[in-house]
Amino acid sequence: MPSGPRPAGTGRLVTGTAWALLFLGLWLWGGGTVEGSLGSSGPTTGDIAAVGRPPGAELPPARAPLAPAEPRWIEVPSLGVDAPVVARGLDATGAVDPPPFATPGTVGWFGPGTQPGAAGAALFVGHVDTETRPAVFYGLSAARPGAKVLVTRADGSIAEFTVDDVQVFPREDFDATKVYGPREPGRAELRLITCGGTFDREAGAYTANVVVSAYLTGG
């Protein structure tokens, strides 16, 4: 969220800039191929603290990946997220195109990438706010390890994921490998991503991105 009131009419420009900065790394790094290993973030900046994975936290075991199926709906009960999902690709600048501002309650899924439940990391993106009100992932920074993420898929199944990590990646140190790469080879995972940190008026963008990681535990 921004650090203070913004001038009227700047919301779309601000959020669009943040998305472009966020996803340019995905375009340059492998043209949408999500491979690698997710590491930990450095010190957080702005008004959001990374919670990470608490020492000794007891989380359920991962289950084997499911057959691929596209997502249709996503729920994060602990955050009040209950939203339709639309497939998104890359825009003309090479950035992942987020959901339209006209539908701030919609979550975007990077369609050319991993399907949720299949092996790899499926990417879900949502706006944090619009010109006038909070958007679908406004409360994403409040996610905690152990929270459930439910994804209804095109085949009628519901893939259940468990959050195991929440991190904030400063814009200046954004690392596509750490954010987009699966944490464990062969495991079915997902990422929930939005803008975070504070609003930098001079740069016209948020200072960081909130990234929630989860892995498949049921379905």
Side-chain angles (χ1 to χ4, degrees):
M1 67 180 72
S3 58
R6 284 174 288 171
T10 62
R12 295 190 180 185
L13 175 61
V14 168
T15 311
T17 301
W19 280 116
L21 289 168
L22 170 63
F23 289 113
L24 182 59
L26 177 61
W27 174 59
L28 294 175
W29 177 62
T33 301
V34 181
E35 299 291 346
S37 175
L38 181 66
S40 61
S41 70
T44 183
T45 61
D47 61 345
I48 298 177
V51 297
R53 182 169 178 174
E58 294 186 7
L59 298 176
R63 65 147 292 165
L66 306 171
E70 294 188 357
R72 293 291 182 263
W73 201 270
I74 187 167
E75 299 174 62
V76 188
S78 64
L79 303 181
V81 174
D82 189 4
V85 175
V86 295
R88 308 299 287 174
L90 299 177
D91 65 20
T93 69
V96 171
D97 197 16
F101 282 100
T103 56
T106 298
V107 173
W109 161 65
F110 183 56
T114 300
Q115 297 183 359
L123 307 180
F124 290 84
V125 300
H127 291 297
V128 67
D129 62 8
T130 67
E131 292 178 350
T132 59
R133 64 186 188 276
V136 64
F137 278 170
Y138 184 78
L140 195 62
S141 63
R144 294 295 182 265
K148 300 301 181 182
V149 181
L150 308 176
V151 180
T152 300
R153 310 191 313 157
D155 61 2
S157 66
I158 297 178
E160 178 188 280
F161 294 82
T162 299
V163 173
D164 65 344
D165 197 47
V166 184
Q167 299 185 63
V168 175
F169 289 84
R171 188 179 68 228
E172 293 81 2
D173 299 323
F174 188 81
D175 187 324
T177 304
K178 291 181 179 180
V179 174
Y180 302 122
R183 299 183 66 151
E184 295 185 14
R187 192 169 71 165
E189 302 175 1
L190 62 74
R191 304 287 182 268
L192 307 178
I193 306 170
T194 195
C195 299
T198 56
F199 177 65
D200 184 339
R201 281 183 168 79
E202 183 176 351
Y206 289 98
T207 59
N209 292 105
V210 179
V211 180
V212 173
S213 301
Y215 63 99
L216 185 69
T217 52

